[in-house]
Amino acid sequence: QSALTQPPSASGSPGQSVTISCTGTSSDVGAYNYVSWYQQHPGKAPKLMIYEVSKRPSGVPDRFSGSKSGNTASLTVSGLQAEDEADYYCNSYAGNNNWVFGGGTKVTVL
Amino acid sequence: QVQLVQSGAEVKKPGASVKVSCKTSGYTFTFTGYYLHWVRQAPGQGLEWMGWINPNSGGTHHAQKFQGRVTMTRDTSINTAYMELSRLRSDDTAVYYCARDGGSSGYFFAFDTWGQGTVVTVSS
């Protein structure tokens, strides 16, 4: 299956909000409520930030929120902080025991 | 706490094979639902899902792209999973991660814990 489509970059000033989109198809994002989001700082392993479209694991700040409409999922980071500067990847279950990632979005805090 | 610790960096020649290990601790390795996935990331590129292994049964599934080249195994006596990639090419140069499926912890179809990554370099 093809990778999910994310914008390569997004930015915002401290305190502002930024929203990242993740577009798939009716076979992955549109078919299942199993979209997750990962934060990756340079040289580090990814970290789970959102699962099942909009749920936050314990320890993840409530500034991070997720949603989905049709074949597009979104991650919103509110009240941007310097430590939010990182790469963000969406992931979706794609059926038939397969998973697929998005291409990643680099978030810059201006 | 849950930890996944991977083996060290590897340098291989084109056509060779590489086997990466992922030693787990802090949870029951064979507990139903704690599949282990393998994900790779080429230099400067995004994440690419490769496949999974069910540590309980040994069952596996991998992305079509790796058909015939990837083998995923486990050793339940030492709570360790392995990913072997054969017929290496230069574009297999990447950081390889193992990641736990968090289903049995409530994080369904998401990867809740990751290894630190193993750098595999393929070069003649």
Side-chain angles (χ1 to χ4, degrees):
Chain A
Q1 44 278 72
S2 301
L4 307 176
T5 300
Q6 296 182 234
S9 63
S11 63
S13 299
Q16 289 187 332
S17 295
V18 65
T19 297
I20 303 165
S21 62
C22 169
T23 301
T25 70
S26 57
S27 297
D28 38 59
V29 174
Y32 305 96
N33 287 323
Y34 293 129
V35 175
S36 52
W37 289 89
Y38 301 86
Q39 177 191 65
Q40 186 181 36
H41 287 109
K44 301 295 187 182
K47 175 187 176 183
L48 177 63
M49 304 300 284
I50 295 287
Y51 67 102
E52 289 184 60
V53 175
S54 60
K55 298 179 180 179
R56 272 178 292 105
S58 59
V60 172
D62 59 7
R63 303 183 291 103
F64 291 86
S65 61
S67 63
K68 189 185 89 167
S69 177
N71 296 338
T72 299
S74 299
L75 173 73
T76 297
V77 185
S78 305
L80 268 174
Q81 298 183 5
E83 60 262 34
D84 299 333
E85 185 161 295
D87 294 325
Y88 291 83
Y89 293 91
C90 61
N91 177 273
S92 177
Y93 180 63
N96 298 315
N97 292 304
N98 293 306
W99 275 255
V100 61
F101 280 99
T105 298
K106 181 177 180 60
V107 169
T108 301
V109 180
L110 301 171
Chain B
Q1 74 280 24
V2 176
Q3 281 191 305
L4 306 180
V5 178
Q6 299 182 221
S7 48
E10 303 264 12
V11 179
K12 297 291 183 181
K13 293 192 183 302
S17 297
V18 68
K19 190 171 186 178
V20 179
S21 68
C22 173
K23 183 170 179 58
T24 72
S25 61
Y27 73 102
T28 302
F29 181 65
T30 53
F31 193 84
T32 302
Y34 281 139
Y35 287 19
L36 283 169
H37 295 252
W38 290 91
V39 176
R40 75 178 186 178
Q41 185 171 37
Q45 302 300 308
L47 302 173
E48 180 177 27
W49 180 80
M50 297 180 69
W52 55 255
I53 182 168
N54 177 345
N56 186 40
S57 68
T60 63
H61 180 80
H62 53 267
Q64 186 68 23
K65 172 178 180 175
F66 301 102
Q67 181 71 31
R69 288 210 301 143
V70 71
T71 304
M72 297 175 188
T73 57
R74 93 290 191 214
D75 184 337
T76 58
S77 69
I78 55 173
N79 299 334
T80 299
Y82 303 90
M83 187 284 300
E84 183 171 22
L85 190 61
S86 63
R87 302 196 299 277
L88 289 169
R89 308 184 294 251
S90 58
D91 61 358
D92 290 318
T93 294
V95 178
Y96 289 76
Y97 294 100
C98 58
R100 190 184 77 162
D101 188 308
S104 291
S105 295
Y107 304 126
F108 295 102
F109 293 82
F111 313 131
D112 70 342
T113 308
W114 293 66
Q116 83 277 17
T118 296
V119 177
V120 174
T121 302
V122 182
S123 174
S124 55

